[in-house]
Every structure is written in C-alpha cells, then in structure tokens.
Amino acid sequence: MSSLADANVQSDLDIAPLLLPAQVLRNDAQAIKAAHELAQVARVQAARRDRQRKLPWSEIEQFTRSGLGSIAIPREYGGPQVSFVTLAEVFAIISAADPALGQIPQNQFGIINLILGSATEQQKKLLLQSVLEGWRIGNAGPERGTKDTLELKARITADGDDYVINGQKFYSTGALFAHWVAVKALNDDGKQVLAFVRRGTPGLRIVDDWSGFGQRTTASGTILLNNVRVDAGLVVDNWKINEKPNTQGAVSQLIQAAIDAGIARGAIDDAIEFVKTRARPWIDANVERASDDLYVIADIGKLKIELHAAEALLRKAGQVLDQVHAAPLTAESAARASIAVAEAKVLTTEISLLASEKLFELAGSRATLAEFNLDRHWRNARVHTLHDPVRWKYHAVGAWRLNGKLPARHSWI
C-alpha cells in the first residue's frame, strides 16, 4: 500500500481523546466553586476562540478534571447528586463566560438522566462509574433529512452476540470531545435504543464540519457509522423510559435554559463594560459620559430586571424538579416539572436575544468592530435558542393552565 493510501486510511480512523483522572465533588458548594474557576479561565480567550473556531479542548479537560462532569450522578452510584438548582447555576456560570463550553457537556447530563431512567442496574454501574472516572459522553441522536427530530434512519442489528450500527448523524454536540458516543438507533423490532460506542471503534468517524454562525466551537457536526460494532451490554433500551412518567425533557430543557441565561448574563456584562469604558454619549443627552445618559441607564435597568426575572424562574424550575424527584414520580408531577421549566425557557430565550441585540444600541457603532467580536453574543443566542421553538412553550403552558392538558413526553418539553 502506498504512503498516500496509508494516510487516507489513517484519516478515517477515530482517535479517542486522552483520558485524564477526574476528582469527585461532594456537595453543591464545591460544584459552584469549580464552575466559577472554570468560567474565569474560559472567559479570557472566549472571543478569540469564537473568531478562529478554535475548539476549547483545555477548558473541556478542566471541566472534566474538576469533577463537574459527574455532579448529577446519584449518591448511591458514588456521585454528589447536586440539586437541580445548582445544576442550572453551574451551566449558567460557565455559559456566561463561553456558551459553547456550556453546550458541549449539555447532552452528557441528559444522557445520564436517560441511563438512570431506562438502563439495567449493571449498565448504570458501568456507565456512571466511567463518568466518575473522567469519561465524557457525546451525543449522536439527531439526523438530517428526516421528517422531524423524532424520526431515525440509523439502524442497529444483531450480529452474533453483539450488534452492528449503520447510519449518519448531525448536531452531534460533545461527540468530538467524548470517550463514549451515545448513538440513538432503531433495533430489529423498530424500537429506539441508545448504544454506547467507545471512541476509536472501527467504522466510527466524527467530522468537525459544524458551520453554524453561532456556538461555533461546539463541533456539533457529522458522525458517520459504518458497520460499527457495539457490545450487547452497552445497548440501553431507552424506549422503556416512556412506559412510565419521566422528567427526561424537563431535565434536558433546564440545562438549555441555563445556557441561554448565561448568554444573557455575558451580553449584559459586556454592554455595561463597553458603555462605561468605550462608548461616547449621544449629543442630545448633554452628559460627559455615555453611562450618564438617562435612557441608557433606564435600558440597562430594564435588562437587569428581565434577566433577574428569567433567573428567578430558572431557580424555581430547579426547585420544582428537586421536589418532584424527592417523591414517587407521577404523570402530574412530571408535567408540573415540564411546565415550570417551559416557563423559565420562555424568559431565558427572550432575554438572551434581547440583551445580545440591545448591547449594540447602547454601546454604539464602535461595538460592531470585529476586534471586539461582541456579535458573538447574539449569534450564540440565536443559534442555541433554535433547539426548540419557544412558541410551543407558550402553548404547553397555556394548555396546562387553561385545560389541564399534560405536555407531551419527549426531550423538548
């Protein structure tokens, strides 16, 4: 075989990221502290990473080594089991510094919740222990070219004692950074399963072709699966989660809302800093500094009030999830969690878009210069809030309050 052919073969081989030891945090305070420490580091080069599409490898490694990757694991499996209030605040803190860094591990926490809700006890012990040891889980669920986000073309078929997966995925956030790739596929019975594929498995290929104008450094691109073998013991029957009430959607959406709240925080902080240090006052204001303009002052006040309202509903949603998980889950309690999170998601979506756009009106033309890269806030908000349409949150809340209709059971409510 020629050297060129060797190079082509090598380029198609998937290589697992280095597995580094991770500590295990023990309480909520430690988790908040670790999030602030990571945010302080991540904020320094966030604008440059976005401009250059430079992936935040060292920051993700710090996320894992610090123990943040396992904060949602229950105590019975060796984790700290922080509150949902703390979980949301951790993601908001990190996302205020760099929302791409917040989004990369987002799916890991949704998948951990799926494991807890549908895996066998043996699978729970194996997979959760690996996360405690520093393994990261990436997403391989969504596909392009399907009728909707629930339709799957990927297939997993029995082959001897194991299984083989074929298909193609997109929006695969976290996969490039992961040690496990969690692949959704339909089995021979047409039921959805979640297969945990080890990185480096032959036939698995992860392509960093994400070209979205926002969340640029999430590597949320393509996964190719060509006769990828997976151990039967690593195939979770996640279809079982819908056989009983669950909070899968509420937990997933809580983290989504927290990321949007973080984007809003970052945009407002940058708007305040720019107005105070760089913006010029409008001539009719008759003031020496832009920060003394009465209209600017009022608008900053309004942004802060709306941010605090969104954050209050986010905390309330976390509290509801904590309450719901403290008792046997029912259809009513699961619905209550989904509605609480949906209400928070409405406000975090709206404030992230408003704050990231209002920044330019308050800071002025200079704020649009590429050297500041402040447009990343709006680009990130606009792209991340497209995960699911907020108009359907209004509908779900209205149907619940008006007619007592339970929301749908899927990952987007």
Side-chain angles (χ1 to χ4, degrees):
M1 184 181 292
S2 67
S3 58
L4 179 60
D6 287 337
N8 288 337
V9 169
Q10 290 295 322
S11 67
D12 287 340
L13 293 177
D14 182 59
I15 300 174
L18 186 65
L19 181 62
L20 299 174
Q23 66 174 312
V24 178
L25 300 174
R26 287 305 170 195
N27 54 54
D28 294 53
Q30 289 182 356
I32 295 295
K33 182 175 182 288
H36 279 297
E37 290 172 348
L38 175 58
Q40 186 175 4
V41 171
R43 186 176 290 108
V44 176
Q45 297 293 331
R48 178 177 293 182
R49 284 195 301 274
D50 174 88
R51 185 184 300 113
Q52 300 175 351
R53 285 190 184 267
K54 182 179 179 182
L55 301 181
W57 274 102
S58 63
E59 291 78 14
I60 281 294
E61 294 290 3
Q62 181 175 334
F63 179 93
T64 304
R65 291 197 313 272
S66 71
L68 286 171
S70 60
I71 58 175
I73 293 179
R75 295 183 186 90
E76 63 185 290
Y77 295 102
Q81 192 177 349
V82 302
S83 69
F84 284 104
V85 173
T86 294
L87 181 63
E89 182 60 13
V90 162
F91 273 88
I93 290 168
I94 295 169
S95 298
D98 183 352
L101 181 61
Q103 187 182 341
I104 288 166
Q106 165 190 311
N107 288 299
Q108 173 164 312
F109 287 80
I111 291 168
I112 287 173
N113 201 53
L114 265 177
I115 292 170
L116 292 170
S118 56
T120 66
E121 193 61 28
Q122 184 177 359
Q123 289 171 331
K124 290 177 186 177
K125 290 178 179 178
L126 170 66
L127 294 169
L128 298 178
Q129 181 60 36
S130 73
V131 174
L132 290 168
E133 293 172 358
W135 290 54
R136 290 187 292 273
I137 303 174
N139 178 48
E143 301 178 1
R144 289 195 289 188
T146 55
K147 176 186 176 183
D148 53 41
T149 53
L150 291 176
E151 183 182 0
L152 293 176
K153 294 182 179 179
R155 295 293 185 268
I156 181 168
T157 56
D159 186 27
D161 294 332
D162 298 326
Y163 288 88
V164 172
I165 309 174
N166 284 281
Q168 183 170 324
K169 302 289 183 175
F170 196 64
Y171 306 112
S172 304
T173 306
L176 190 65
F177 305 89
H179 304 91
W180 292 114
V181 177
V183 182
K184 286 184 179 179
L186 298 183
N187 64 15
D188 293 332
D189 296 325
K191 294 182 177 179
Q192 185 187 118
V193 299
L194 189 66
F196 286 81
V197 177
R198 290 182 176 88
R199 290 293 301 280
T201 300
L204 172 67
R205 186 181 175 201
I206 301 176
V207 184
D208 182 15
D209 59 349
W210 172 244
S211 62
F213 62 70
Q215 297 296 87
R216 288 177 169 178
T217 61
T218 56
S220 302
T222 299
I223 291 181
L224 303 173
L225 302 143
N226 182 22
N227 291 322
V228 175
R229 298 193 70 83
V230 60
D231 188 289
L234 294 173
V235 179
V236 174
D237 290 330
N238 68 314
W239 56 269
K240 291 182 178 179
I241 200 168
N242 291 320
E243 292 185 334
K244 54 187 178 182
N246 67 82
T247 59
Q248 178 60 27
V251 171
S252 176
Q253 288 288 297
L254 181 77
I255 298 172
Q256 301 265 23
I259 293 171
D260 296 335
I263 294 173
R265 285 184 193 177
I268 294 173
D269 287 347
D270 277 355
I272 290 172
E273 179 65 19
F274 206 97
V275 167
K276 289 169 64 175
T277 61
R278 290 188 170 91
R280 297 186 297 180
W282 181 240
I283 53 176
D284 294 328
N286 293 317
V287 294
E288 292 297 319
R289 305 177 305 170
S291 58
D292 291 328
D293 184 319
L294 295 179
Y295 291 110
V296 172
I297 292 171
D299 278 345
I300 290 295
K302 186 173 187 292
L303 287 175
K304 276 291 189 177
I305 290 168
E306 295 191 14
L307 172 63
H308 291 162
E311 290 172 334
L313 281 190
L314 186 63
R315 284 192 297 274
K316 178 185 175 184
Q319 291 166 352
V320 171
L321 270 166
D322 287 327
Q323 295 164 5
V324 165
H325 277 250
L329 200 61
T330 66
E332 280 288 322
S333 65
R336 188 161 63 91
S338 284
I339 293 302
V341 175
E343 290 178 350
K345 187 69 159 55
V346 168
L347 292 198
T348 59
T349 294
E350 292 181 349
I351 188 58
S352 65
L353 291 169
L354 174 63
S356 56
E357 193 278 333
K358 196 74 173 178
L359 183 161
F360 297 103
E361 179 188 336
L362 301 178
S365 299
R366 190 181 179 194
T368 67
L369 297 181
E371 63 189 275
F372 303 116
N373 195 24
L374 292 174
D375 60 298
R376 73 185 187 279
H377 294 299
W378 182 85
R379 290 187 284 100
N380 291 334
R382 183 63 283 173
V383 168
H384 190 263
T385 56
L386 292 176
H387 274 85
D388 51 277
V390 75
R391 61 186 179 273
W392 279 93
K393 299 290 189 273
Y394 284 110
H395 179 272
V397 172
W400 165 262
R401 301 295 183 188
L402 184 62
N403 298 318
K405 182 179 179 182
L406 302 184
R409 292 264 59 86
H410 53 59
S411 296
W412 298 277
I413 186 64

